[in-house]
Amino acid sequence: MTDRPLDRRRFLGLAAAGATATAAGLLPAGSAAAATGRPGPADRPGWVGGRPRRVFLGAYTEGPGAAPGIGLARMDPRSGALTLDGYHPAGANPFYLTRHRRTLYAVNDTAAGTVRALRIAPDGGLCDLNDRPTGGAGPVYLSVHPSGRFLFSTNYDSGSVAVHRLRADGGIGELADLVQHTGSGPNPTEQLSPHPHMAVTDPTGERVLVPDKGTDSVYVYRIDLRTGRLTRQHKVFLGAGVGPRHLVFHPSGRFLYVVDELGSSVTTCGYRPATGALWTVEAVSIVPPGTDPRNAPSAIVLSPDARFVYAANRGLDAIAVLAVTAGGGRLRLVGLQPVSTQPPGAELPWDLALDRSGRFLYAANRAGQSVVQFRVDRPTGMLAPTGAVLPTFSPVRILLG
């Protein structure tokens, strides 16, 4: 192995090549889901009546280990264990998912990117509403404005941020704005051009923040709530070659935490909600010294009590646990939890999710073809495997209902 970081497309290809699960091992023979890719009544025992929670799994539908579509699972309310019901076809590579009320939204990570809306049925199934082009290539993230009026998506490959209006029925309307980023970074393979990786509304609802892995910056935009148009207020540089990917806000609104894909770190930033001013406070490494730079951290989540931050390391196949201190203004690495007993590189944890109670954390492992459940020790924040593993095709996003 060399020290040269992997470009995104090559990294995704290697992840797919590492997939070893087969269809026969993931779905019971003869089930409705195995035959059609869609769950049938017999595949949803206990779902009717709404007691279990629906869980949606974003996935890649191309390459080895490809999924038939969006995974449909359910969570046992007591044990937190997940059961797979089947898949809903949703175009090519329904990579990232979000929801607003009874509508699920997905990006299709393709050269001609699209976003699509799907109605969530009372029984937990999905019904297609519509789709729209994102105006760019390789969309990898989407979120809904708290008002429910706008959908934001980021075109990683072409370096732009799209804003769509949302219809009253949850369907996707016309494109309201498309903002093009410019610039580059020092990494010769990952930062030749801008790569916005996320677009999230701040706690006031007045601004949208966009970490851009290609330019080592976080952009702060003001959104016009009448038109959906974005106006840039700030562009904050996090450090040469760190590659900011995703962020999460502290509930105070005064701090946020950015996971750095190329720097294998989490950067704490101060934030002034009244003005949108943003500044860096410190960066904390989430890997041991000497870790291969292709580690490529992915997801970041904050515990419901805001005492711990969790970040996924794809190269190490380990979840970093960081304690939140100083009223939210500092982080301290307290441990690393492997996602399996396999050698590093066999799992590639692409996404993390915490249940509402904060009792359980889930890691979606693309190469490992699985979602692994951990129990959270609330006093220490540390994780312990429960032994519950959900086999599923190429999971890269886990969205708890």
Side-chain angles (χ1 to χ4, degrees):
M1 298 175 68
T2 69
D3 288 338
R4 184 173 64 85
L6 292 171
D7 68 273
R8 174 172 174 266
R9 290 300 176 189
R10 184 166 167 243
F11 185 81
L12 296 181
L14 287 181
T20 58
T22 63
L26 291 176
L27 289 174
S31 72
T36 66
R38 307 170 73 104
D43 298 306
R44 287 198 297 260
W47 174 258
V48 177
R51 287 183 297 276
R53 291 172 55 195
R54 174 56 84 205
V55 176
F56 300 102
L57 303 172
Y60 276 95
T61 62
E62 297 175 346
I70 295 171
L72 306 176
R74 55 194 143 85
M75 178 195 295
D76 182 279
R78 292 179 296 275
S79 69
L82 304 181
T83 301
L84 184 68
D85 290 333
Y87 300 87
H88 180 90
N93 303 327
F95 169 80
Y96 200 86
L97 311 172
T98 194
R99 67 177 292 177
H100 182 72
R101 296 176 180 169
R102 299 300 301 173
T103 306
L104 182 74
Y105 299 95
V107 292
N108 293 117
D109 181 6
T110 60
T114 58
V115 284
R116 64 180 59 235
L118 306 101
R119 175 67 64 190
I120 303 172
D123 67 353
L126 296 175
C127 304
D128 296 327
L129 283 174
N130 75 326
D131 62 77
R132 294 272 187 167
T134 62
V140 294
Y141 189 91
L142 78 173
S143 65
V144 177
H145 188 270
S147 68
R149 297 175 57 191
F150 301 105
L151 179 72
F152 309 109
S153 57
T154 53
N155 293 306
Y156 178 98
D157 288 348
S158 56
S160 58
V161 182
V163 185
H164 285 84
R165 300 180 187 275
L166 290 179
R167 306 186 318 218
D169 68 350
I172 304 169
E174 71 274 16
L175 192 66
D177 202 2
L178 184 67
V179 178
Q180 180 65 51
H181 287 188
T182 59
S184 58
N187 189 296
T189 56
E190 298 273 2
Q191 296 183 310
L192 293 177
S193 62
H195 294 305
H197 219 306
M198 181 189 212
V200 62
T201 309
D202 81 350
T204 72
E206 297 177 357
R207 296 172 188 84
V208 178
L209 278 69
V210 181
D212 191 310
K213 173 182 157 184
T215 64
D216 289 322
S217 301
V218 176
Y219 295 71
V220 181
Y221 292 98
R222 176 176 286 278
I223 181 170
D224 186 319
L225 294 178
R226 295 179 300 106
T227 66
R229 295 191 66 82
L230 300 177
T231 301
R232 195 173 95 186
Q233 287 190 301
H234 307 285
K235 178 186 176 183
V236 179
F237 181 68
L238 266 61
V242 301
R245 178 184 173 98
H246 282 189
L247 65 83
V248 62
F249 271 94
H250 187 270
S252 69
R254 298 186 298 112
F255 302 102
L256 55 92
Y257 314 108
V258 186
V259 64
D260 304 316
E261 182 174 334
L262 303 181
S264 288
S265 56
V266 173
T267 299
T268 299
C269 294
Y271 187 68
R272 190 165 293 123
T275 64
L278 179 73
W279 61 95
T280 60
V281 176
E282 66 175 355
V284 175
S285 175
I286 56 173
V287 296
T291 298
D292 192 307
R294 292 175 293 183
N295 175 62
S298 52
I300 185 168
V301 294
L302 179 68
S303 64
D305 60 9
R307 296 181 58 232
F308 298 98
V309 166
Y310 300 91
N313 288 298
R314 285 180 287 187
L316 283 182
D317 282 350
I319 302 166
V321 183
L322 300 104
V324 178
T325 65
R330 293 287 191 274
L331 296 178
R332 175 173 53 86
L333 182 66
V334 295
L336 287 166
Q337 171 61 51
V339 297
S340 79
T341 58
Q342 299 297 312
E347 301 291 340
L348 300 182
W350 223 270
D351 195 27
L352 302 176
L354 281 157
D355 79 315
R356 296 170 187 167
S357 69
R359 293 182 303 156
F360 301 113
L361 181 142
Y362 303 86
N365 303 315
R366 186 185 179 194
Q369 302 276 280
S370 65
V371 176
V372 178
Q373 180 191 20
F374 297 88
R375 187 178 300 278
V376 180
D377 181 85
R378 295 186 186 182
T380 66
M382 294 304 292
L383 307 172
T386 66
V389 177
L390 176 71
T392 183
F393 293 104
S394 191
V396 289
R397 168 66 168 156
I398 175 168
L399 180 64
L400 304 181

